[in-house]
Amino acid sequence: MKQRSTFGSKLGTLAVVGGSAVGLGNIWKFPYVAGNNGGGAFVIIYIVICFVIALPLMMSEFAIGRSTRSNPIGAVKKLTPQKGWTLMGYASIIASLMILPFYSVIAGWSLEFLKDSLVGGFAGKSAADVALMFEGFVSSGWQPIWWMLGFLVVCCLIVALGIEKGIERYSKVLMPLLVVMLVALAVYSSTLDGFRQSAEFLFKPDFSKIDGPAVVHALGQAFFSMSLGMGSMITYGSYIKKQDKLSTIAGTVAVADVVIALLAGMAIFPAVFSFGISPTSGPDLVFITLPTLFGQMAWGSVISVVFFVLLLFAAMTSVFSMLEVIILYFIEEFHVSRPVASGGAFVIIAGLGILCALSQVPGSSLTVGGQSWFDIFDNLSANIVLPLGGLTTILFAGWVMKKNVLRDQFTENGAYGLKSYSLLKFLIKFVIPVAIAVMFLSLAGLIRW
Ligand code: TRP
C-alpha cells in the first residue's frame, strides 16, 4: 500500500496547525467579542478556557487522528464498533460545509478592502461614508461573490497540491509573514494615544461585567479560534509524525493562538480608543471602524494594505484545514484522486458561498425566520455545532474509544508524561464534558447565573 503522507518537519507541523488556529477568529472576531463582553475579565476567562478545556480537546482530536491515520469518519469507524458514533464524523463534514461558505465570503471582503486600500480609497472618509461603501459592496450581490470565488479557487488549488507540497509549503511562508506584519502593526499601535486605554481595557479585569452569556461566548470563541469540534484537528492529527509530542504541538499552538488574538486586540483597540469609538462596535469593527481610522491616520494606506493582507493570509491557512476535512473524506471514503476531491469540494462550497453572499442582499428571499443564510451558518456553527462537536468528541475520547489509545498517544506508550496524563484524563472524562454541557443548558435558558 502507498505510504500515507505525514507533515514534513516539526516546524512545518506547527505552521500548518497554527495556521489553522490563527484566522479570522483571532483578528476579526476576537476583538469584537472581547469588546462586547466587557474586556479584561472576559479575556482572563477566555485564556483559562483555552488551556483547561480547549487544549486537552485539541490533544484528543490529534490522538483520534494519529492513532487511526484516517479522516474523521474513518477514524471513528476504526475506534469503535458502535455505528452511532459515525454520526460524529458526518457532523464534522456538515460543520465544515457550514463554516467554509461564510468564512470564504468574509475572506473575499478582505480582498475588496485590500483593493480599496491599494487605491487609497479610505482617505478622508467618514465612518458613515465607509459604512455606505461596505453596505453598497455587500448588497451588490455579485461583487462579493467574485472575490469569494477567487479566494476559494486559490485555496483549493493549494490544497490540491497535497499536504507537504501544498498546505505545508504555503503555511511555512504565510504564517511567519503574518506574525511579522501583526507585530509591526502592534508596535505602530503602541505609539498611538489610545494605547494605555486599550491595554487597560484588555488586561484590567472587572469581574462585575461577567455573566453566564459571557462565559458561553468565551467557550464558543475558544472552540472556533482553536479549530475544535469539527474534525479539522482530527484530520491534521492524522498527518502528525509518530515521534512528535502531541502536548508540545497543541501547547505551542494554544499559546500562539492566544497571543495572536491579544496582539490583534492590541493592534486594533488603540486606534479605536484614540478616535473615541466604542469598543463594542461589533463585527463592523474590522470592516467599517478600522478602514475609517486608516483613512485618517498618517501612513494609513500603507497600514491598511498590511492589515488586509494579514487578514487574507490568516483566512487562507484556516480554510486549508477546513477544506482538508472534506477533501480527505472524499479521497479515503470514495477513493477519488486529490485533484478531483478538491474540485468537488470547490463546487459544493462555491454553491453554498453564493447562497450566503446573495442572502445578504437587502430584500433577499434567501432567509429563514428573518435570518439570512449567512447569519444562520455563522450563528449555528459557533453556538451549536462546534460545542456539540466538541462535546461528542471529548465523550468519545474519554469514554468510548478503545482503551489505551489516549494513553499511548499522549505518553508515547508510557515513555513520558504519565503524571500529566492522569490530570488530562480527569479533565477529559469529567471536567470538560460537564463544562460544555453546562454551557448548553445555559444557552437553552435552563440555567442562569
Ligand atoms: N480557527 C480558525 C479561526 O480562528 C477557523 C477554523 C479553521 C475553524 N478550522 C476550523 C473553526 C475548524 C472551527 C473548526 O479563524
Side-chain angles (χ1 to χ4, degrees):
M1 206 177 101
K2 209 170 128 242
Q3 172 92 48
R4 195 170 184 281
S5 43
T6 58
F7 295 128
S9 66
K10 182 104 180 263
L11 224 67
T13 308
L14 288 174
V16 173
V17 180
S20 167
V22 175
L24 297 175
N26 303 61
I27 298 165
W28 165 69
K29 228 173 174 176
F30 177 79
Y32 85 74
V33 174
N36 281 341
N37 288 287
F42 174 86
V43 171
I44 292 184
I45 292 180
Y46 175 74
I47 293 174
V48 170
I49 290 180
C50 281
F51 288 97
V52 178
I53 297 183
L55 175 65
L57 177 56
M58 183 183 279
M59 289 180 63
S60 306
E61 291 203 14
F62 284 162
I64 295 173
R66 189 168 71 170
S67 63
T68 56
R69 299 270 178 226
S70 293
N71 68 85
I73 294 174
V76 173
K77 284 188 196 154
K78 285 186 190 171
L79 288 169
T80 175
Q82 300 170 26
K83 288 252 168 354
W85 285 96
T86 41
L87 282 179
M88 180 177 113
Y90 288 106
S92 64
I93 306 286
I94 293 172
S96 324
L97 291 176
M98 283 170 84
I99 299 179
L100 274 167
F102 80 84
Y103 205 90
S104 307
V105 172
I106 301 175
W109 296 350
S110 66
L111 279 167
E112 166 83 6
F113 276 66
L114 178 59
K115 183 205 78 187
D116 287 340
S117 314
L118 283 170
V119 299
F122 303 120
K125 291 239 157 67
S126 70
D129 295 335
V130 180
L132 273 182
M133 272 169 83
F134 178 58
E135 278 150 25
F137 163 69
V138 168
S139 56
S140 71
W142 282 95
Q143 234 174 315
I145 290 176
W146 294 124
W147 287 124
M148 179 271 293
L149 291 176
F151 171 81
L152 206 53
V153 167
V154 174
C155 291
C156 288
L157 283 174
I158 292 177
V159 177
L161 291 174
I163 294 301
E164 230 189 305
K165 295 213 179 81
I167 297 180
E168 186 171 347
R169 195 166 71 184
Y170 284 86
S171 302
K172 276 200 304 208
V173 178
L174 296 174
M175 288 310 289
L177 283 175
L178 181 146
V179 172
V180 170
M181 286 188 286
L182 192 58
V183 170
L185 279 183
V187 168
Y188 172 87
S189 288
S190 68
T191 65
L192 298 176
D193 295 339
F195 185 73
R196 254 192 75 121
Q197 211 180 340
S198 79
E200 270 178 21
F201 179 72
L202 277 176
F203 297 111
K204 202 167 148 196
D206 171 1
F207 281 96
S208 67
K209 289 194 176 138
I210 290 298
D211 50 8
V215 178
V216 173
H217 289 144
L219 191 74
Q221 172 65 20
F223 280 14
F224 189 85
S225 192
M226 290 185 32
S227 307
L228 298 171
M230 197 204 80
S232 270
M233 292 305 180
I234 297 181
T235 306
Y236 274 178
S238 78
Y239 298 118
I240 295 179
K241 284 208 162 105
K242 198 171 163 289
Q243 65 269 27
D244 288 338
K245 278 193 194 175
L246 297 183
S247 54
T248 313
I249 298 172
T252 313
V253 168
V255 171
D257 192 62
V258 168
V259 169
I260 289 182
L262 294 174
L263 265 181
M266 286 312 295
I268 290 171
F269 281 125
V272 171
F273 285 114
S274 302
F275 287 85
I277 291 165
S278 160
T280 58
S281 51
D284 292 352
L285 203 56
V286 160
F287 290 103
I288 295 178
T289 313
L290 270 188
T292 312
L293 303 172
F294 291 148
Q296 299 173 16
M297 278 167 22
W299 292 95
S301 46
V302 178
I303 292 172
S304 101
V305 170
V306 174
F307 180 80
F308 287 108
V309 171
L310 176 100
L311 203 58
L312 190 66
F313 286 0
M316 275 180 89
T317 50
S318 295
V319 163
F320 294 164
S321 72
M322 292 185 261
L323 277 174
E324 186 60 23
V325 173
I326 301 173
I327 289 172
L328 185 64
Y329 167 66
F330 285 166
I331 295 175
E332 289 185 348
E333 306 291 313
F334 297 100
H335 309 289
V336 295
S337 70
R338 181 167 274 274
V340 169
S342 309
F346 172 79
V347 171
I348 300 170
I349 299 155
L352 291 169
I354 292 174
L355 178 74
C356 272
L358 289 179
S359 77
Q360 289 197 308
V361 176
S364 160
S365 55
L366 298 169
T367 54
V368 177
Q371 274 207 44
S372 67
W373 278 105
F374 186 100
D375 292 336
I376 293 173
F377 281 172
D378 184 359
N379 295 332
L380 210 60
S381 59
N383 295 330
I384 313 249
V385 180
L386 294 182
L388 203 59
L391 181 60
T392 44
T393 309
I394 208 80
L395 288 173
F396 184 77
W399 297 92
V400 179
M401 71 184 191
K402 285 190 198 126
K403 282 221 175 72
N404 289 341
V405 171
L406 215 53
R407 179 176 174 276
D408 292 349
Q409 290 292 327
F410 284 8
T411 65
E412 197 65 40
N413 304 322
Y416 53 75
L418 276 173
K419 274 210 190 103
S420 45
Y421 172 66
S422 326
L423 171 68
L424 275 171
K425 205 169 106 189
F426 177 71
L427 289 174
I428 288 171
K429 281 194 123 152
F430 303 103
V431 178
I432 301 174
V434 170
I436 305 177
V438 166
M439 182 205 113
F440 268 116
L441 293 176
S442 105
L443 253 188
L446 297 176
I447 345 178
R448 259 173 232 290
W449 77 80

